[in-house]
Amino acid sequence: MSTGTGATVTVNLGERTVSVPKAGLFDRYRMDVPLDEVAADPRVPGVDFFRTLPKTEVRSPIGSTRTPNFYYAMSSARLTLLAPSSAIRSRLPEELSPLEVAPGLGMVSLMLFRYDVCDIDFYTEAAVGVAVRPARNGGLRTAVADAVSALGDDHLYSYVLSLPVSTEIAQVRGHDGYGFPKWVTGLDVDIDETSTSARIANADGGIDVALFAATPKQRRIASGEKVSTLTSYTKREGAWHATLNQTNILASGRSLLPRGVDLQLGDGRIADDLRSLKTIRAISFDVNTSAQAALHMPVPFSVR
């Protein structure tokens, strides 16, 4: 799928120039990879999920691009923690409200991603996000239903506080194109059926956040049987946007009230965000050792 030499070429994204792997998927196909070719990669578990999602050409701050962005082989982990709603609210724009799962308590997530095969080539990513009420959705009955839905992982709504990545193209596309608070840093994520680990570096090369835990027992799932969705709210050029991410989960496991999760907070932007949220305790640890995803370009959205 690529030369494997470490050589790079430069490409333009709007007014920005970034380096990408020479002869990698982005260099060759610019977000329009032939599905039959990617299906031949032994790391890719299949492409049926993507055949139902035709791409379209759109104009954006990163220039003309194809959407959705496809992630053909990936793994992910999410540590969900309780935090005081007051602490969460202090970090949210006034237009958004925390999703409360108990009186005065909301949910914070530390998320880890490893994208082995995707349209913009291999990269890793981490995020601190807070669960929010669906915009323009009110009422007690709705709030209860939203909390149950969120805990069931079928449709989450989120506001992301920090989102470091390991490559230039992921940073520019995510920041300029989507409005996410992305920056490039050293970021190692390793996820398999035995263990899940991550090390996020700070600006000095030291530890921002590190995590190590046993991977929850995995259950294999047929493609298309469990597709979760995440809607993230961002501001881009002063206007609110909603970004939809669809994840086709192929192998997954969950630990409730997990023990043995070694979470180390060092010095850095991710650690500062977690401390500011005054997290209380972990309520679940979800790991997908095999998944695929389609990340759609953001669309303008009224949060009121």
Side-chain angles (χ1 to χ4, degrees):
M1 301 294 287
S2 66
T3 62
T5 63
T8 62
V9 296
T10 58
V11 298
N12 294 324
L13 297 179
E15 298 180 354
R16 304 278 292 275
T17 300
V18 300
S19 297
V20 300
K22 183 178 181 180
L25 291 183
F26 190 82
D27 180 27
R28 287 184 290 158
Y29 297 116
R30 295 297 197 274
M31 303 289 295
D32 199 14
V33 182
L35 290 179
D36 288 340
E37 176 169 339
V38 78
D41 190 318
R43 297 170 295 176
V44 175
V47 295
D48 288 349
F49 172 66
F50 303 102
R51 295 192 189 280
T52 65
L53 297 167
K55 292 200 176 204
T56 58
E57 190 87 14
V58 297
R59 296 180 62 84
S60 77
I62 54 173
S64 179
T65 187
R66 303 278 288 174
T67 185
N69 185 7
F70 286 165
Y71 297 83
Y72 306 100
M74 60 169 284
S75 52
S76 65
R78 185 179 77 242
L79 182 66
T80 303
L81 307 105
L82 291 178
S85 297
S86 57
I88 295 174
R89 192 171 287 109
S90 71
R91 298 298 313 276
L92 286 176
E94 62 179 3
E95 296 95 329
L96 301 178
S97 300
L99 175 65
E100 292 193 335
V101 295
L105 293 176
M107 294 193 302
V108 173
S109 293
L110 171 63
M111 294 167 282
L112 308 167
F113 304 91
R114 179 185 173 97
Y115 304 116
D116 286 294
V117 184
C118 77
D119 285 336
I120 60 172
D121 301 297
F122 170 82
Y123 73 101
T124 54
E125 183 173 52
V128 173
V130 296
V132 297
R133 293 281 307 282
R136 297 182 290 131
N137 196 2
L140 178 60
R141 176 177 295 182
T142 301
V144 173
D146 292 339
V148 171
S149 173
L151 290 171
D153 194 29
D154 51 8
H155 198 153
L156 294 167
Y157 297 82
S158 177
Y159 181 77
V160 177
L161 299 178
S162 47
L163 197 63
V165 293
S166 62
T167 65
E168 285 184 289
I169 187 172
Q171 190 274 331
V172 171
R173 285 181 56 86
H175 181 273
D176 296 10
Y178 293 81
F180 286 119
K182 288 196 175 188
W183 70 95
V184 177
T185 193
L187 209 167
D188 298 318
V189 176
D190 290 295
I191 298 172
D192 60 33
E193 292 189 352
T194 301
S195 63
T196 298
S197 65
R199 184 187 185 277
I200 306 164
N202 60 25
D204 299 321
I207 292 177
D208 186 341
V209 168
L211 179 144
F212 181 84
T215 298
K217 184 178 180 180
Q218 297 291 288
R219 179 174 71 91
R220 295 287 168 180
I221 303 167
S223 180
E225 181 180 320
K226 184 176 182 181
V227 178
S228 66
T229 58
L230 171 68
T231 298
S232 299
Y233 300 121
T234 57
K235 263 189 174 179
R236 195 184 74 193
E237 300 173 342
W240 279 102
H241 288 72
T243 297
L244 175 66
N245 184 33
Q246 298 169 283
T247 301
N248 181 34
I249 300 172
L250 302 173
S252 181
R254 165 178 289 179
S255 294
L256 295 175
L257 301 178
R259 297 183 179 182
V261 176
D262 182 8
L263 177 62
Q264 179 182 350
L265 301 186
D267 297 310
R269 294 170 65 175
I270 290 270
D272 288 346
D273 280 335
L274 288 171
R275 289 191 181 101
S276 74
L277 294 164
K278 301 178 181 179
T279 57
I280 299 169
R281 68 157 303 162
I283 58 172
S284 71
F285 184 52
D286 298 84
V287 178
N288 302 318
T289 56
S290 180
Q292 300 174 316
L295 177 65
H296 299 256
M297 288 296 292
V299 295
F301 191 83
S302 172
V303 299
R304 290 295 195 185

